[in-house]
Amino acid sequence: MPITETIPALDLASIRAQFPALTQTVNGHPAVFFDGPGGTQVPERVIDAISGYLRRDNANSGGAYATSRRTDAMIAEARAAMADFLHCLADEVMFGLNMTALTYAMSRAIGRELKPGDEIVVTRLDHDANVSPWLAMAEERGVTVRWAEIHDEDCTLDMADLAAKINSKTKLVAAGYASNAVGTINPVKEIVRLAHAAGALAYIDAVHYGPHGLIDVAALDCDFLVCSTYKFFGPHLGVLFGKRDHLTRMRPYKVRPLTEAIPFRWEFGTLNHECIAGITAAVEYFADLGRQTEPCRDSRLGCPPSAARALTRRTAIEAAHQAIHEHERVLLERMMTGLQQIPKLKIYGITDPTRFAERCSTLAVRMEDGNPEHQPLPLATKLGERGFFTWDGNYYALNLTEHLDVEKTGGFLRIGLVHYNTLEEVDRFLAALREIVRA
Ligand SMILES: Cc1ncc(COP(=O)(O)O)c(C=O)c1O
């Protein structure tokens, strides 16, 4: 099946042509990138922006000369781009090494405001980067940690339990937007509401959600939200949103010469400028995707290109996510149906298509046939030899794999579908997996 035959929402041939990495082969097989949850591929424009910065503008920031001024302007542009992506103000956007480093820094600063007897809530479903920094802070400050549990049968957050763990002593609720292991999308708006009702801060990890759904921090009303651009077609960097009031009131651990102005007081040392240059290009990639799909959505007869260009960047990003969502949904349905037909294959998380709004297109599976050759690592290795890039293990969702008692036997095999994947890839993957497990 040609890639153009997939789903009307997206022009897959033109999308894939923008990602040079997608043309690779492994042992003569076309490479199939189902490793998006670990990091997505980047379009040519991101590569160009990074190398272009190093060629023309490479300098430290804050200097009174041309390349330094261009560097400052480039960082400001990237901040504005991320503000459109997240729906916030540009001075509420901070750049850092990655989500984990940003969260450690923010957890220490938040900890300065806490005292023994205060409480925080973390979840069993989260990636450890939204757990361990809070555990460390709690240990240092004498703060009590409460865990929100999950429903084992579908790997969704137990919202009644979460609500019960929040009380008048709760100062912070740390929760994920989507699980990087089993794909569950949490009711984040409700989590923020519960936190705020108790006077607590809400810290949201949107790293896994970023490539799959529209993030709107204004609508969520969260206090902090963190994501990583390398998960949504950009460079290896982390981005943190914080409400202005918090960024102004709270005290970062910072060097004295660094300005007290927000957001800069939260950005420590020299940033990764070349990668920040790639962020604007990644956001523009989304916006162009939206500009191309939106007119067609309005009218099957098509719209003049000028109508597409009239969209604001934020509106274009919204349109892109709508189209991405439709495409991923079709991929997910096909993958789920195929996986369900493989005997002794257990699928973790939501499997009922009528509930697919509660999940994204990341699947965790295990063969339950007792064959050690079918554990996640040997399976991922055999698939990898045929060009299928999946992942095995816990992907740092350690609390989940321990809770479900799969940690000692290799965790899960994770299949991550993003919008540049095709139905043809899904079909070929299912055929290869069936052959490997002889189903
Ligand atoms: C859900 C989730 N949170 C946090 C992280 C950590 O992100 P980073 O690598 O930017 O520190 C990851 C990385 O895989 C993730 O999937």
Side-chain angles (χ1 to χ4, degrees):
M1 186 191 299
I3 53 175
T4 43
E5 199 191 310
T6 51
I7 301 124
L10 293 177
D11 177 356
L12 262 267
S14 102
I15 284 171
R16 289 178 64 90
Q18 296 179 55
F19 289 80
L22 300 185
T23 57
Q24 291 177 63
T25 56
V26 178
N27 301 327
H29 305 282
V32 174
F33 290 81
F34 287 170
D35 62 338
T40 46
Q41 300 308 307
V42 295
E44 193 92 53
R45 67 173 85 193
V46 170
I47 303 166
D48 291 347
I50 293 171
S51 64
Y53 171 79
L54 288 171
R55 272 178 217 286
R56 288 184 316 265
D57 306 331
N58 189 14
N60 214 322
S61 60
Y65 57 94
T67 49
S68 182
R69 288 198 177 117
R70 289 208 293 273
T71 293
D72 288 337
M74 177 281 290
I75 295 172
E77 264 176 41
R79 236 184 266 289
M82 276 314 296
D84 283 349
F85 192 80
L86 300 173
H87 205 198
C88 62
L89 301 167
D91 63 9
E92 294 176 314
V93 171
M94 288 142 289
F95 297 119
L97 183 62
N98 50 46
M99 177 278 182
T100 308
L102 285 166
T103 302
Y104 267 108
M106 195 47 81
S107 68
R108 295 194 74 206
I110 289 175
R112 281 179 144 172
E113 298 192 330
L114 305 192
K115 54 180 190 326
D118 287 341
E119 297 186 5
I120 62 170
V121 178
V122 296
T123 90
R124 201 67 71 188
L125 196 55
D126 268 67
H127 186 285
D128 212 53
N130 202 26
V131 177
S132 277
W134 305 115
L135 300 187
M137 180 274 277
E139 193 184 326
E140 277 171 24
R141 311 295 301 182
V143 165
T144 303
V145 180
R146 304 226 174 264
W147 288 83
E149 300 297 339
I150 62 161
H151 298 290
D152 290 7
E153 64 282 9
D154 60 6
C155 297
T156 56
L157 209 51
D158 182 338
M159 287 299 288
D161 187 55
L162 181 97
K165 300 283 164 61
I166 298 175
N167 60 51
S168 59
K169 291 188 213 147
T170 311
K171 298 294 179 230
L172 175 109
V173 178
Y177 207 141
S179 160
N180 69 315
V182 289
T184 311
I185 296 174
N186 292 327
V188 175
K189 201 167 174 172
E190 176 60 7
I191 294 171
V192 175
R193 194 192 66 72
L194 288 168
H196 286 177
L201 299 173
Y203 190 97
I204 306 303
D205 171 4
V207 171
H208 191 68
Y209 190 69
H212 301 294
L214 183 73
I215 299 173
D216 187 337
V217 293
L220 293 176
D221 194 29
C222 52
D223 299 280
F224 300 95
L225 180 140
V226 68
C227 58
S228 306
T229 50
Y230 72 94
K231 308 284 192 184
F232 52 90
F233 322 108
H236 285 94
L237 275 185
V239 179
L240 174 65
F241 154 81
K243 278 185 179 167
R244 257 185 183 179
D245 289 354
H246 301 317
L247 299 183
T248 309
R249 183 195 73 251
M250 287 168 43
R251 276 194 311 133
Y253 285 82
K254 65 182 270 299
V255 293
R256 287 170 298 162
L258 177 62
T259 174
E260 284 295 350
I262 63 162
F264 311 100
R265 67 197 295 246
W266 293 96
E267 292 177 329
F268 316 111
T270 305
L271 296 172
N272 186 334
H273 297 165
E274 51 274 32
C275 281
I276 292 175
I279 287 184
T280 307
V283 172
E284 283 297 339
Y285 167 75
F286 271 96
D288 276 350
L289 202 73
R291 289 183 189 109
Q292 277 147 26
T293 59
E294 187 59 15
C296 309
R297 194 175 301 284
D298 286 348
S299 156
R300 284 287 151 201
L301 299 173
C303 272
S306 56
R309 278 199 297 274
L311 295 179
T312 66
R313 184 159 59 189
R314 175 68 188 176
T315 315
I317 292 166
E318 286 169 10
H321 269 300
Q322 182 58 37
I324 285 171
H325 174 76
E326 286 172 27
H327 177 73
E328 288 184 353
R329 164 91 194 218
V330 176
L331 296 180
L332 173 63
E333 277 182 19
R334 181 89 132 235
M335 181 63 86
M336 189 67 82
T337 307
L339 292 173
Q340 282 170 328
Q341 285 162 8
I342 299 180
K344 303 228 165 67
L345 183 117
K346 178 163 180 185
I347 304 166
Y348 290 80
I350 295 166
T351 54
D352 174 0
T354 64
R355 294 182 57 205
F356 277 1
E358 295 170 62
R359 66 163 300 143
C360 60
S361 49
T362 301
L363 299 105
V365 301
R366 280 174 62 89
M367 282 301 291
E368 301 282 297
D369 59 357
N371 183 343
E373 280 307 298
H374 294 167
Q375 284 193 358
L377 176 57
L379 269 190
T381 308
K382 288 195 187 93
L383 286 162
E385 284 158 6
R386 297 175 184 219
F388 298 100
F389 301 169
T390 59
W391 213 281
D392 68 282
N394 61 37
Y395 354 101
Y396 289 18
L398 179 64
N399 293 296
L400 182 67
T401 52
E402 284 182 342
H403 176 76
L404 295 175
D405 199 23
V406 295
E407 179 61 22
K408 291 192 286 294
T409 48
F412 309 112
L413 178 79
R414 179 176 67 186
I415 309 151
L417 308 170
V418 294
H419 77 278
Y420 54 57
N421 292 127
T422 68
L423 277 175
E424 187 246 348
E425 289 180 327
V426 171
D427 290 344
R428 276 198 295 119
F429 171 84
L430 288 165
L433 184 60
R434 274 195 299 267
E435 210 177 287
I436 291 167
V437 301
R438 289 191 198 83

